[in-house]
Amino acid sequence: MLQHKKKTIGVISIMGGLSLLSLTGCGSNMAAPVNPSSGSVGTTQHGVLLGVGAENEYANVMQQIGGKYLSVSAIMSDPNTDPHEYEASPQTSSMIAHANLIVQNGLGYDDFMNKLESASGNPHRKIIEVQTSLGYSNSTPNPHLWYAPSTMPRVAQLIADDLSALLPAHKAYFNHNVAIFDASLQPYDRELEHVQKEFKNAPVATTEPVCDYMLEAAGMANKTPWSFQAAIMNGIDPSPQDVNTEEQLLSNHQVDVFLYNQQVVDSLTTSLLQIAKQHHIPVVGVYETMPPNYSYQSWMQDEVIDLQKALQYHTSTQTLS
């Protein structure tokens, strides 16, 4: 369970469904979004349901599955605030109160959602907490579930199931969108398989466990001590021994790639970035929330492609956009 994550994620940034659809290329038939302030609990307006994703990667997938029958807003989509310092605005509280469907991560990553939902009773609202829906226990140490390749296909089907319960007449439409979504993940899966086949057990270092699930799927050997990753993730000082280990991994060329979380940055991670550069260790920037101008699929695929370029050509890709 995440204890206290000192991050720089997510000033509330509401991403309307229309803009999400423009990223995923499936919005030409979208109905007019519903104004949360005018919607009624458990009802629709213009045939459009209201959805909220606690993180913009979940919001993006919600929009792809819901298509023209769902208008989605994202809460955390800005890479500059700490979700544990998040304070709900009246607009956000109203948005959650009127939402028909919510997707949130769990594992302590977005506890503020539970508080907002408790404060706005809505017996018709459906909530998918990815942690519990996918069977992760409260002791799961790494909360970044969206980096596990198996997560989003399962979440997409859960979204389709809930939307089908809300709008039974459009069940086939939602399931069709799931099939499209699953097929669109195949290039990402192929990139993972390629990296695993060509570079299996390649040693890498990280600043924190944001992309550990992806590295595991790609067959990488993460040499950074878990205690170091957890300390950075939770905003506490790592032990001097762990700091020394991490520095030696880079300065002694014991790793092939350094994966650097662009959204959890402090003086220590910055100094490690400089050590990596000084010793010509390729750097790959990774993210907590989906960067601008990406869909979930293109984001994940580009992360893996950047890892492959670092392993094969020693190319650094510090930022995605």
Side-chain angles (χ1 to χ4, degrees):
M1 176 71 75
L2 190 64
Q3 299 300 315
H4 174 72
K5 191 161 187 172
K6 185 179 181 182
K7 292 179 175 295
T8 50
I9 306 186
V11 162
I12 272 194
S13 176
I14 306 304
M15 182 182 297
L18 187 58
S19 62
L20 278 169
L21 280 172
S22 69
L23 299 180
T24 59
C26 54
S28 59
N29 296 320
M30 183 178 178
V34 176
N35 181 351
S37 63
S38 63
S40 299
V41 173
T43 63
T44 64
Q45 184 173 328
H46 306 303
V48 178
L49 299 175
L50 297 174
V52 174
E55 293 78 23
N56 64 350
E57 49 266 30
Y58 291 126
N60 182 265
V61 176
M62 293 174 74
Q63 192 64 72
Q64 292 187 55
I65 304 306
K68 60 186 178 182
Y69 298 111
L70 187 67
S71 177
V72 183
S73 298
I75 293 180
M76 287 194 285
S77 56
D78 188 314
N80 296 306
T81 59
D82 183 340
H84 294 268
E85 297 175 358
Y86 170 76
E87 295 183 5
S89 70
Q91 180 189 13
T92 306
S93 299
S94 175
M95 181 174 63
I96 289 176
H98 291 92
N100 301 97
L101 176 63
I102 293 173
V103 178
Q104 59 198 59
N105 187 73
L107 286 172
Y109 196 84
D110 44 20
D111 279 348
F112 64 89
M113 293 294 292
N114 298 330
K115 297 175 183 176
L116 293 173
E117 289 152 5
S118 296
S120 59
N122 180 346
H124 304 290
R125 180 175 56 206
K126 292 185 176 295
I127 299 173
I128 298 171
E129 185 180 72
V130 176
Q131 175 206 344
T132 53
S133 296
L134 271 55
Y136 287 91
S137 72
N138 287 338
S139 60
T140 302
N142 185 356
H144 307 96
L145 302 178
W146 55 93
Y147 265 100
S150 63
T151 294
M152 281 305 187
R154 298 167 70 187
V155 171
Q157 187 60 60
L158 291 170
I159 292 168
D161 292 346
D162 278 350
L163 291 176
S164 297
L166 292 165
L167 295 176
H170 304 300
K171 179 178 180 179
Y173 173 86
F174 300 131
N175 284 327
H176 177 67
N177 285 346
V178 171
I180 293 173
F181 177 75
D182 288 346
S184 70
L185 284 169
Q186 291 178 4
Y188 167 48
D189 293 336
R190 286 195 292 269
E191 293 291 346
L192 278 174
E193 292 172 2
H194 171 74
V195 172
Q196 186 180 47
K197 179 181 178 181
E198 299 296 328
F199 306 101
K200 188 173 179 60
N201 293 323
V204 301
T206 60
T207 52
E208 69 123 280
V210 60
C211 66
D212 276 12
Y213 291 118
M214 184 186 76
L215 293 175
E216 181 180 354
M220 300 294 99
N222 188 355
K223 298 298 184 182
T224 298
W226 169 257
S227 52
F228 180 91
Q229 290 186 300
I232 297 297
M233 177 176 68
N234 292 323
I236 61 178
D237 293 332
S239 70
Q241 292 83 0
D242 281 347
V243 172
N244 181 64
T245 297
E246 185 78 348
E247 291 175 344
Q248 293 302 311
L249 288 174
L250 300 171
S251 60
N252 290 337
H253 292 265
Q254 296 173 5
V255 294
D256 295 338
V257 182
F258 180 50
L259 293 113
Y260 183 79
N261 188 340
Q262 293 287 355
Q263 293 181 232
V264 180
V265 177
D266 60 17
S267 58
L268 175 57
T269 63
T270 302
S271 70
L272 292 171
L273 178 64
Q274 294 308 313
I275 293 173
K277 290 181 176 179
Q278 290 167 6
H279 293 275
H280 306 290
I281 304 295
V283 176
V284 172
V286 293
Y287 296 80
E288 299 269 346
T289 51
M290 188 177 67
N293 303 317
Y294 275 91
S295 67
Y296 172 75
Q297 301 96 307
S298 63
W299 174 32
M300 290 294 109
Q301 185 176 356
D302 275 9
E303 296 274 27
V304 178
I305 290 173
D306 291 344
L307 175 61
Q308 185 268 333
K309 289 192 295 187
L311 291 165
Q312 186 165 3
Y313 304 113
H314 308 289
T315 300
S316 289
T317 310
Q318 192 168 330
T319 60
L320 279 178
S321 56

